[in-house]
Amino acid sequence: MITPTISSPKIAMTYLPALKETDPEIRDLILLEEKREFEKMRLIPSENYASDAVKEATGGIFTNKYSEGYPNKRYYEGQQLTDQVEILACERAKKLFGCDHVNVQPLSGSPANMAAYRAVLKPGDTIMGLSLPHGGHLTHGWKANFSGSLYNSVPYELDPETEMLNFDMIRALAKEHKPQMIIAGYTAYPRTIDWTKFREICDEVGAYFHADTSHITGLIAGGAHPNPFPISDTGITTTHKTLRGPRGAMILCKQEHAEAVNKAIIPGLQGGPHIHTISAIAVALKQASQPDAQVYAQQVVKNAKALAERLLSHGFRLVTGGTDNHLILMEVFESKGILGRDASRALDKAGIVCNANMVPFDKNSPFNPSGIRIGTPSITSRGMKEAEMDKLGDWMNEVLSNIDNDAILKRIEGEVRDLCVSFPAPGIDPERWNCLYTPSPK
Ligand code: DSN
């Protein structure tokens, strides 16, 4: 643990010196964001703290280089080093996730899904993904997204009783609609996904099995969730969530789809890859293969379970009754009479940052839904454990019982800050901006 001290003005002055000279406004915003991320309990389950090593690579020299194509088959010269970076990233991902082929060029999760679908589907083919209001993703067939307009989307839903995946319902829907692809992997589902059941159903109806592990890839790497990639046909992950890399994505697939996947990225969808990002993905993959990544992944889940228990003890209703992974979906409208957005705003004022979220079968709108989504990846990266989860659960209860009481929210904000500054945050050194830092005059 670190105890922040008042830094000398010299330290703050010498941090980001080129930006200080060129663009002090942006430098101020960066420094203030570092301070925000250091002083708050960050519970958005798709966010994390990238390490200094990942950030150094992301901000590195490869941002200067164009490299359309793939290693040993590029359109421009000067690829002696880009090829080595991309090969390292792909080989590390293949080894970690046990799959035949990896493409590390997608710019983020949505284009990765778009390219993976394009590789194996034709427009008009039928796809089945979990409905967005039940915890699926926009790109899994939502009507307003390319995935719901380019393809015939037949979404599956959660079981109305258990709020969990019901494989009898999914199988019946698949037999009725005979999809070309079934998509599994979610943004707001708090339970372990049984990939083998999806594989079986896909085989029964002749569908491709596509796994989107974006949220849980760090858990998979750390052995805290089963790995779909040895049995899925295609799959994707973003690289900045539990994997703790830069913002980016990868497609992971069987060898038979390798060429189609590569062509779907370039020339199908993108031009030059972001090799600086790919170098940082390689760093994140190296970090995710170290023994401490196992400890991290297990602790993320232990923390989520501990926080869930504490929230249950305060009378909150959790979707599915609890969690097996990194996230908790908490219903606050029926059980506590608060709309999700009002809850997330009050928590933010108190230094606890989460997001309003729909719950399955939600009667409220997506802009002010009935729940909030909470995750433990970021706070676990800071070394917080079960004792801090108890405190957090108590604070959340107090905030949500007093959402209009600014004095209470302010007091809790101070308590949250005191706790947060006693835990290190990867990639953030409070000495760089500590108490003497004030933004430049406008
Ligand atoms: N926006 C991401 C999330 O928060 O889950 C998914 O793309």
Side-chain angles (χ1 to χ4, degrees):
M1 276 191 204
I2 48 170
T3 311
T5 52
I6 307 273
S7 62
S8 71
K10 199 166 148 236
I11 292 172
M13 297 286 278
T14 54
Y15 181 45
L16 304 179
L19 266 181
K20 185 167 184 292
E21 188 62 33
T22 308
D23 195 339
E25 270 180 302
I26 287 292
R27 178 180 184 262
D28 287 347
L29 293 172
I30 291 172
L31 291 169
L32 290 169
E33 176 64 9
E34 287 201 8
K35 190 163 155 50
R36 188 192 71 82
E37 293 194 13
F38 191 65
E39 293 180 349
K40 308 280 180 183
M41 283 269 199
R42 298 174 58 231
L43 302 184
I44 293 176
S46 46
E47 294 183 0
N48 217 316
Y49 292 93
S51 66
D52 274 321
V54 163
K55 284 168 47 184
E56 281 176 12
T58 307
I61 196 72
F62 285 108
T63 194
N64 291 345
K65 185 67 192 126
Y66 256 119
S67 50
E68 285 98 332
Y70 291 101
N72 303 314
K73 216 175 162 195
R74 310 266 192 197
Y75 291 90
Y76 303 168
E77 303 310 325
Q79 310 292 349
Q80 297 81 0
L81 305 167
T82 53
D83 280 6
Q84 292 182 53
V85 168
E86 190 164 344
I87 289 168
L88 261 179
C90 291
E91 291 306 316
R92 286 176 184 171
K94 278 160 56 177
K95 187 158 174 229
L96 195 54
F97 299 109
C99 61
D100 299 339
H101 179 72
V102 175
N103 185 310
V104 288
Q105 297 194 8
L107 299 180
S108 201
S110 296
N113 272 328
M114 192 180 230
Y117 302 165
R118 185 184 161 108
V120 296
L121 299 177
K122 298 184 301 303
D125 279 355
T126 298
I127 61 171
M128 272 177 54
L130 182 64
S131 151
L132 180 69
H134 284 233
H137 189 255
L138 275 174
T139 57
H140 295 177
W142 188 243
K143 281 291 169 205
N145 182 262
F146 82 89
S147 56
S149 53
L150 203 52
Y151 303 105
N152 173 40
S153 172
V154 178
Y156 55 93
E157 295 194 337
L158 297 174
D159 185 311
E161 291 299 315
T162 62
E163 301 173 306
M164 295 195 204
L165 295 169
N166 176 324
F167 289 99
D168 292 337
M169 284 166 52
I170 296 168
R171 176 178 281 106
L173 199 67
K175 288 199 161 157
E176 185 186 343
H177 291 277
K178 305 252 175 320
Q180 276 70 43
M181 174 184 276
I182 300 180
I183 302 160
Y186 313 109
T187 64
Y189 185 68
R191 295 296 180 177
T192 300
I193 304 166
D194 187 342
W195 308 113
T196 59
K197 291 256 174 46
F198 279 103
R199 181 71 269 173
E200 280 167 25
I201 296 172
C202 286
D203 289 343
E204 285 170 33
V205 301
Y208 291 118
F209 170 28
H210 179 80
D212 181 343
T213 65
S214 294
H215 263 254
I216 52 173
T217 305
L219 303 187
I220 293 168
H225 191 288
N227 176 12
F229 295 116
I231 61 168
S232 54
D233 296 296
T234 54
I236 74 122
T237 176
T238 48
T239 47
H240 46 273
K241 297 185 173 94
T242 46
L243 192 59
R244 299 192 281 184
R247 299 192 86 88
M250 311 188 280
I251 302 175
L252 305 94
C253 67
K254 289 189 170 157
Q255 190 56 42
E256 66 202 80
H257 304 304
E259 196 183 335
V261 159
N262 284 357
K263 283 188 174 154
I265 287 288
I266 175 166
L269 188 59
Q270 295 183 183
H274 293 184
I275 294 287
H276 59 302
T277 301
I278 292 171
S279 74
I281 291 174
V283 174
L285 290 165
K286 180 169 185 183
Q287 291 180 339
S289 63
Q290 309 299 315
D292 62 355
Q294 307 263 328
V295 178
Y296 168 71
Q298 308 293 336
Q299 190 64 46
V300 167
V301 177
K302 283 187 204 162
N303 282 351
K305 284 181 183 288
L307 181 56
E309 281 305 314
R310 198 65 167 195
L311 291 166
L312 286 170
S313 79
H314 286 298
F316 288 103
R317 190 180 89 69
L318 308 184
V319 169
T320 78
T323 182
D324 301 327
N325 60 21
H326 64 304
L327 74 80
I328 295 165
L329 195 54
M330 187 157 90
E331 201 283 328
V332 288
F333 183 68
E334 299 282 339
S335 57
K336 295 279 175 177
I338 315 169
L339 279 160
R341 183 75 60 162
D342 298 333
S344 63
R345 285 196 180 129
L347 286 163
D348 194 31
K349 276 191 191 169
I352 297 167
V353 189
C354 66
N355 65 278
N357 213 94
M358 295 196 92
V359 299
F361 309 99
D362 207 323
K363 294 187 188 69
N364 289 307
S365 86
F367 297 104
N368 208 346
S370 301
I372 57 173
R373 191 181 64 151
I374 308 157
T376 52
S378 298
I379 52 181
T380 307
S381 288
R382 299 186 71 164
M384 294 187 195
K385 295 213 167 106
E386 286 87 337
E388 286 73 40
M389 299 306 112
D390 285 350
K391 234 171 154 27
L392 175 58
D394 293 347
W395 278 325
M396 291 182 75
N397 178 48
E398 200 179 350
V399 170
L400 296 177
S401 308
N402 296 281
I403 61 169
D404 295 319
N405 187 328
D406 283 343
I408 290 181
L409 303 189
K410 197 152 190 54
R411 192 202 82 231
I412 295 174
E413 186 195 19
E415 291 170 2
V416 166
R417 186 185 311 114
D418 289 347
L419 181 80
C420 285
V421 300
S422 65
F423 284 87
I428 298 178
D429 178 359
E431 288 289 317
R432 291 163 181 163
W433 41 255
N434 207 354
C435 313
L436 289 181
Y437 174 70
T438 44
S440 317
K442 296 278 174 304

